[in-house]
Amino acid sequence: MADDRTVLLVVDVQNDFCPGGSLAVPDGDAVVPIVNALGRRFRHVVLTQDWHLAGHASFASSHPGRKPFEMVELAYGPQVLWPDHCVQGTAGAAFHAGLDLPHAEAVIRKGYRQGIDSYSGFIEADRQTRTGLEGYLCERGIAKVVIAGLATDFCVSWTAQDAARAGFETIVVEDACRAIDLDGSLDRAWAEMAAAGIERVSAATLMP
């Protein structure tokens, strides 16, 4: 994978998504050593980082009487309400301390617009606002995107599907991801990724 046309895209390996965080993905920190090992096999690595303002529209606390994981309608459509998480400049928004990818070339921050959530590293939840990641990868001559991180059924899945739509060969490393699995969301995510032609592999296949 150490070629100039492939990138390892590491999605949201942040403290709030790991055990002890405000929106902890079960076993989320287990991806860290796998991602680190993968990273050593890639010449090009890019990170995404959830980066919300306090009082973000996707937070249940911003909607009086609402609880985390309820659904509401925002201007762009249905939105899951989350516990406050990954607020700019907080410890929860920081990358996991064990993440060891010093050669990462870019960090794409997302979800920093007050009224729009962002699961995908490419396009925010209104499905119009772009992060610039697609243009960055295209200008770098990247053709293949290998994805790891958190969480499989939300940010990883949305990122992978948008990568495929943009024309990148897209691979998700299953054991380098972990899921929230909210009401069957994991099975739905894998079905959607398969329908989009996204390849599903284990880390061992990339690290012979």
Side-chain angles (χ1 to χ4, degrees):
M1 292 295 166
D3 66 80
D4 280 331
R5 294 180 59 78
T6 302
V7 68
L8 177 65
L9 182 58
V10 180
V11 175
D12 298 1
V13 182
Q14 295 168 256
N15 290 328
D16 270 342
F17 297 130
C18 293
S22 63
L23 185 50
V25 177
D27 204 27
D29 57 349
V31 307
V32 172
I34 303 171
V35 168
N36 288 343
L38 280 170
R40 289 191 283 273
R41 301 297 183 103
F42 285 78
R43 183 174 300 162
H44 302 301
V45 177
V46 171
L47 312 177
T48 71
Q49 187 176 24
D50 234 21
W51 198 247
H52 297 307
L53 291 165
H56 193 267
S58 69
F59 296 168
S61 62
S62 299
H63 302 266
R66 296 286 191 168
K67 296 178 181 178
F69 309 111
E70 291 184 358
M71 297 291 298
V72 295
E73 285 286 326
L74 296 183
Y76 52 81
Q79 171 67 49
V80 179
L81 293 180
W82 303 107
D84 292 23
H85 66 280
C86 297
V87 174
Q88 296 176 9
T90 64
F95 292 116
H96 188 282
L99 198 64
D100 185 21
L101 300 168
H103 61 302
E105 296 162 339
V107 175
I108 302 296
R109 287 176 165 169
K110 59 190 180 66
Y112 53 79
R113 294 171 176 85
Q114 187 74 48
I116 310 173
D117 203 6
S118 185
Y119 301 139
S120 171
F122 289 89
I123 308 173
E124 299 199 345
D126 62 354
R127 311 311 294 153
Q128 296 180 17
T129 304
R130 295 182 175 272
T131 66
L133 178 57
E134 180 182 346
Y136 173 80
L137 296 179
C138 287
E139 288 198 0
R140 295 289 307 278
I142 298 297
K144 181 186 295 184
V145 178
V146 180
I147 301 174
L150 304 170
T152 314
D153 40 343
F154 286 92
C155 297
V156 167
S157 175
W158 284 54
T159 297
Q161 291 182 63
D162 283 342
R165 289 188 192 101
F168 298 103
E169 180 183 350
T170 306
I171 298 169
V172 172
V173 187
E174 182 173 9
D175 53 337
C177 304
R178 292 295 186 276
I180 296 173
D181 203 8
L182 186 63
D183 298 326
S185 57
L186 180 58
D187 286 343
R188 288 194 298 274
W190 281 122
E192 290 169 0
M193 286 190 277
I198 294 161
E199 188 176 356
R200 176 178 178 179
V201 304
S202 69
T205 65
L206 305 178
M207 298 188 294

